[in-house]
Amino acid sequence: MIRLALGTLRQHRGAYAGTFFAALLAVALLVGGGLLLASVLTAKPPADRFAAAMIVVSGGRDVTLEKVTTTQKKDKSKVKRKVKSERLTGAGSLPVDLAGRLGDLPGVAAAVADVAFPVQTSTPDGRPLRGADGAPVIGHGWASAALTPYLLRSGAAPGRGEVVIDADLARRSGSTVGGRLLVTTKTGARTMVVSGVAAPAGRDGLPAQGALFVADGEVATVSGLPGPTAVGVLARPGADPVALRAAVGQVAGDHEVLTGADRVRADLPGALPDYIGPISIFGFVIGITAFAAVFVLTGTVTLGVRQRLRELALLRTAGATPGQLRRLLGVESLLLAGAAALPGAPLGVLFAHLVAARFRELGAVPAQFVVRTNVLVLVAAAAAGMVVTFVGARVAGRRAVRIAPTQALAETADAPTGGLAPRVAVAVVTTAGAIALLVFVPLDGPLGMGMSFVSSALLLCTVAALGPLLVRALTTPVSRLVGVGGPTGWLAGLVTRAERRRVAAIAVPLVLMFAINATMLLNSALLGQLAQREQQDRTAAATAQVTAPGGLPLDTVERLVALDGVTGAAATLPTRAIVEQGGKPEDFASQGLLVAGSEAALDLDLRSGTLPGPGAFAASAYVAGQYGWRVGDDVRVWLADGHQVDLRLAGVYARARGFGDLVLPAALVAAHDPRGLVSTVGLRYGGDVPDRIAASWPGLRLAPTLGAAPAGDAQNQQGAWELMVVISLGFTAIAVVNTFAIATAARRREFADLRLAGATTGQLHRLVDREATITVAVGLVLGALVTAIVVGAFSAAQDGTVRVVVDAGTYAGMLGGVAALGLVAGAVPARVLLRRRGLPALGDGR
């Protein structure tokens, strides 16, 4: 069987070239996506910050809730416990005396308290200062330098009003001992003198964070934290690690005790590389690649099998059974996919490295992210490509192997008809699934974009299942329209109506190409438009916006809004907050809000209640609806550092896009967010307020309200959409070219017969062009229909307005691009084939 399969592959290498290339590309994309996902899942930053400590006791780094459910069955109760956690964006504090108690334990050489807090640092000329690869700068008390350890290279330990910086920061800023830096934290902005430069042994700094040390006596004043965020335990020589850890655990109580590589978890969350966003992106890449691979490979394999119907009939004449033919097609597909996996795997590795480089450039992944080659991923991707190709061959051969032996003697051979009931059943299930998602899933929430893609995929499955039926319904009117213009158009209409299965096989990749990409691009454009519009409406009342590089301390803002002539102000302080639903913690983008003056400078479009004051908060209409909150309800909220507080719901607002789903008192947020800086102050004023602001705070920027939406996760979103569009557009473009080439190659005898009947090469070119036009038009109509359903439902869920052409430029570009690709893909293979030496019948006659 293997020998026969190899022989048929050599004999039909032209027909299977498209399938080979599609399998190669599928394996490459699966390898690339798999390596990226595996790399972010296994990425762990080094525990260098606590390298000198054997054990680290950490404050809270997440909110963990336990849900207990009890079910009764046959007089027996069954208790289920589910534990859910949500990561904090800040760090919880430890008791001030914990380091002293740990230091008294036997075997402990020293217990060092580490107070870690983010700082905004700039040079005297106002140039912001960042760590290596744009890493944040983290402040500490000087005593915690021993935990790495950082050793002085020059200068002395910091005193009052002084700082020690790492050697990398010194090089970047050009600072030397005696120089000055502007250090801004949530407690204020200070000009501090550089007293020394320190670095870990053998390097200038840590790869994921810059380090700045203040005097231990000033660390509480500068950081605003009530206690240490971690305590590092340095062991005496010869101490038993197991016994020491047990003793530390008893003293630490409920606080987390970390050893080995886990010590890195005690660092400030903002100082650690964040892989949460890339995990979801690369996971989605795997999904979209697998979906496209099934479509592409099944289509190309099906066309390849259809070219061999007369050969299969001949084998049936020689005595082959349908089972033997199915096994033959299966073995061929496995050999073909296996051969494609050999170049596909290294191509996938290259693809993963290119994507990682682009994501690092966008800032969507940490600068330290590296792609690690994983043999299991390579094997799994190759196996997946082989399985998909094998299944495609089995599906394609299901009816083809039942071909009658007598068709071997016919000029053309057709596969037996039938199989309508399974196709209809599949279409009903996928259509029902798409409708259920579009109707019952809240598309205006965080799942909206993902569910719109899944809905598109289900509707595309419907189109694939009902392809011949849908094509027959559309081909007739389209072909009659295109057929206006002479006998060539009339003949093209007849051919496409007669060969609806071939038209369907080519049109389905066109539908996939248009619908998937148009849906993603249009929905993304819609969200951007709505966010920008809401931002404009939110800030329209303000005369100007005040900002500063890195942010403003709250006390500075309070003095700013108290200036004479300021009639209204609204200061926003970005943060994250966690609330509970059904025992599961959920994290939401939030804002601390400070409102002053008699005139409103921020319009959130309150639907009920008021803006929050002390002890209260406001929620977006979406979140309030999801949780069933009403104005006056008490809700438990976890702040960025894990501090738990019960707040009363004061109001519900509508304009949450690009802003946040929860609004909290600014003072509360500043007290419990490690960064705690105001991002923007909207002002209403009269007179010479701008001049007085410039005189008192020369570093502030005062600009008219422009209405641009906040960046938010713009880098992650841009990287995600670039990657997904490149994959889906590139993969489906290959599918279109493949299917056209395979379908055209199967018509060699047909074209030769037309030439012998007197048709000129030019007439055949025009015939093929008209057929391609009909096929492309059918594909675009079906693609536009799928897009209209999904985009219309998504749009209606956002603001109640049904839109189909969200962005005319994007829509026209997709239509024109897909049409051009389809027409070129249909014309080029035919022109290559219609050369005289490519037509067997003519060649035979010479």
Side-chain angles (χ1 to χ4, degrees):
M1 186 65 74
I2 294 178
R3 185 181 303 173
L4 180 59
L6 288 172
T8 55
L9 287 175
R10 285 194 297 268
Q11 180 68 26
H12 298 284
R13 56 185 179 274
Y16 279 108
T19 304
F20 174 85
F21 194 61
L24 183 152
L25 189 59
V27 170
L29 292 177
L30 289 172
V31 166
L35 290 178
L36 289 168
L37 182 59
S39 297
V40 297
L41 287 174
T42 58
K44 291 184 179 180
D48 289 341
R49 176 72 189 98
F50 301 100
M54 176 183 289
I55 302 170
V56 181
V57 180
S58 171
R61 296 298 186 269
D62 53 40
V63 173
T64 301
L65 298 175
E66 184 179 46
K67 181 181 179 181
V68 180
T69 57
T70 303
T71 57
Q72 195 76 22
K73 289 185 177 180
K74 297 181 179 179
D75 299 328
K76 292 183 180 180
S77 296
K78 184 177 182 181
V79 178
K80 288 185 178 180
R81 298 179 183 273
K82 291 184 179 180
V83 177
K84 299 290 185 179
S85 295
E86 189 69 52
R87 184 181 178 187
L88 293 170
T89 54
S93 297
L94 296 169
V96 176
D97 65 342
L98 180 61
R101 289 187 281 127
L102 291 173
D104 294 335
L105 292 175
V108 174
V112 181
D114 178 34
V115 180
F117 54 97
V119 297
Q120 300 293 328
T121 310
S122 60
T123 58
D125 59 1
R127 179 165 51 89
L129 188 57
R130 303 283 289 177
D133 300 317
V137 179
I138 307 300
H140 307 272
W142 175 243
S144 65
L147 294 174
T148 306
Y150 279 86
L151 303 176
L152 280 170
R153 288 189 178 177
S154 61
R160 186 175 181 83
E162 295 178 336
V163 296
V164 169
I165 58 176
D166 69 37
D168 181 69
L169 289 178
R171 178 176 54 81
R172 291 173 182 277
S173 62
S175 298
T176 56
V177 175
R180 295 179 180 272
L181 293 175
L182 179 63
V183 178
T184 302
T185 67
K186 63 182 180 179
T187 61
R190 301 168 178 83
T191 299
M192 307 186 80
V193 177
V194 178
S195 68
V197 176
R203 48 186 169 175
D204 290 340
L206 296 183
Q209 56 184 282
L212 179 147
F213 299 93
V214 301
D216 293 317
E218 284 194 308
V219 67
T221 302
V222 175
S223 69
L225 297 177
T229 55
V231 175
V233 177
L234 282 65
R236 294 182 184 276
D240 182 4
V242 177
L244 185 57
R245 190 188 190 285
V248 170
Q250 289 181 351
V251 175
D254 294 334
H255 300 294
E256 194 167 11
V257 178
L258 305 170
T259 58
D262 289 338
R263 292 170 298 170
V264 72
R265 289 161 44 195
D267 213 339
L268 192 69
L272 298 176
D274 183 10
Y275 292 101
I276 300 300
I279 286 174
S280 60
I281 293 171
F282 296 145
F284 197 35
V285 165
I286 294 291
I288 195 173
T289 301
F291 175 75
V294 170
F295 258 75
V296 171
L297 286 173
T298 301
T300 53
V301 170
T302 299
L303 280 175
V305 171
R306 285 181 60 82
Q307 288 191 46
R308 299 173 55 195
L309 289 176
R310 294 184 71 245
E311 176 190 329
L312 295 176
L314 184 62
L315 291 173
R316 288 293 311 280
T317 303
T321 65
Q324 290 173 325
L325 295 183
R326 281 194 294 269
R327 287 194 294 275
L328 173 64
L329 294 174
V331 171
E332 290 176 0
S333 67
L334 290 176
L335 293 174
L336 188 69
L342 296 178
L347 185 63
V349 175
L350 175 62
F351 169 75
H353 283 280
L354 292 175
V355 170
R358 175 57 177 161
F359 270 51
R360 283 193 295 266
E361 180 183 341
L362 291 171
V365 296
Q368 300 78 27
F369 174 66
V370 294
V371 178
R372 295 178 176 84
T373 302
N374 188 312
V375 176
L376 291 179
V377 171
L378 301 181
V379 173
M386 295 174 69
V387 168
V388 171
T389 308
F390 176 79
V391 172
R394 298 286 288 191
V395 171
R398 183 174 54 86
R399 286 185 294 111
V401 297
R402 297 200 302 267
I403 189 169
T406 54
Q407 293 203 40
L409 304 176
E411 286 293 320
T412 59
D414 294 316
T417 59
L420 180 60
R423 287 177 172 270
V424 172
V426 170
V428 168
V429 171
T430 54
T431 303
I435 293 174
L437 290 178
L438 295 174
V439 172
F440 298 110
V441 174
L443 299 179
D444 57 335
L447 298 177
M449 286 296 292
M451 290 302 100
S452 66
F453 168 76
V454 175
S455 300
S456 297
L458 290 172
L459 290 176
L460 287 169
C461 291
T462 300
V463 172
L466 299 180
L469 297 179
L470 295 174
V471 165
R472 182 168 61 182
L474 289 173
T475 301
T476 298
V478 172
S479 64
R480 294 190 187 281
L481 180 64
V482 175
V484 176
T488 302
W490 172 81
L491 180 59
L494 286 181
V495 172
T496 52
R497 289 196 295 273
E499 292 288 342
R500 62 180 184 274
R501 292 189 180 275
R502 184 176 68 202
V503 173
I506 300 173
V508 167
L510 289 168
V511 179
L512 174 67
M513 183 179 184
F514 182 85
I516 287 292
N517 292 284
T519 298
M520 290 194 296
L521 292 174
L522 293 175
N523 284 351
S524 180
L526 175 61
L527 292 180
Q529 293 173 8
L530 294 177
Q532 185 172 11
R533 185 183 308 163
E534 288 193 9
Q535 176 70 359
Q536 291 171 343
D537 293 340
R538 274 196 304 269
T539 60
T543 309
Q545 302 288 328
V546 178
T547 59
L552 289 163
L554 190 58
D555 64 346
T556 301
V557 173
E558 290 171 342
R559 297 196 304 272
L560 174 68
V561 302
L563 289 173
D564 290 338
V566 174
T567 58
T572 54
L573 195 160
T575 187
R576 308 287 298 192
I578 296 174
V579 295
E580 175 190 358
Q581 184 180 37
K584 180 181 179 182
E586 291 286 349
D587 171 66
F588 291 100
S590 307
Q591 295 281 353
L593 179 63
L594 172 66
V595 177
S598 58
E599 296 180 324
L602 183 71
D603 183 5
L604 294 179
D605 188 15
L606 283 168
R607 296 301 172 89
S608 60
T610 62
L611 291 176
F617 79 108
S620 68
Y622 170 78
V623 170
Q626 287 293 105
Y627 283 74
W629 293 337
R630 297 182 180 276
V631 172
D633 288 350
D634 289 328
V635 176
R636 182 156 298 173
V637 180
W638 285 265
L639 302 175
D641 62 354
H643 178 72
Q644 181 179 311
V645 59
D646 291 331
L647 300 175
R648 177 180 54 83
L649 182 62
V652 176
Y653 60 94
R655 293 182 181 137
R657 300 178 193 278
F659 183 75
D661 286 300
L662 301 176
V663 174
L664 310 167
L668 181 65
V669 170
H672 294 282
D673 189 296
R675 186 170 180 273
L677 296 176
V678 171
S679 61
T680 306
V681 183
L683 290 182
R684 296 184 70 172
Y685 57 81
D688 63 345
V689 168
D691 295 332
R692 283 185 284 136
I693 290 176
S696 300
W697 298 282
L700 301 188
R701 292 196 295 260
L702 190 69
T705 301
L706 301 177
D713 297 325
Q715 294 91 345
N716 278 347
Q717 292 175 4
Q718 181 181 351
W721 293 126
E722 281 186 8
L723 181 56
M724 292 174 191
V725 168
V726 165
I727 288 176
S728 57
L729 199 60
F731 201 6
T732 51
I734 295 298
V736 171
V737 174
N738 268 344
T739 50
F740 263 116
I742 294 173
T744 301
R747 303 176 65 187
R748 296 171 71 246
R749 182 176 296 277
E750 174 188 340
F751 289 145
D753 290 343
L754 288 173
R755 287 292 307 278
L756 289 174
T760 65
T761 302
Q763 288 174 327
L764 292 182
H765 287 171
R766 290 191 293 275
L767 173 65
V768 170
D769 292 344
R770 292 292 184 92
E771 291 180 13
T773 301
I774 295 171
T775 303
V776 170
V778 169
L780 288 178
V781 169
L782 291 173
L785 180 61
V786 172
T787 303
I789 293 172
V790 178
V791 173
F794 185 80
S795 174
Q798 302 306 310
D799 62 355
T801 302
V802 178
R803 306 173 183 86
V804 174
V805 184
V806 172
D807 185 310
T810 300
Y811 201 92
M814 283 298 305
L815 280 174
V818 174
L821 177 66
L823 293 176
V824 171
V828 172
R831 279 158 173 74
V832 173
L833 185 65
L834 287 172
R835 296 173 182 172
R836 184 176 180 84
R837 61 179 177 272
L839 297 178
L842 291 181
D844 293 342
R846 279 194 296 180

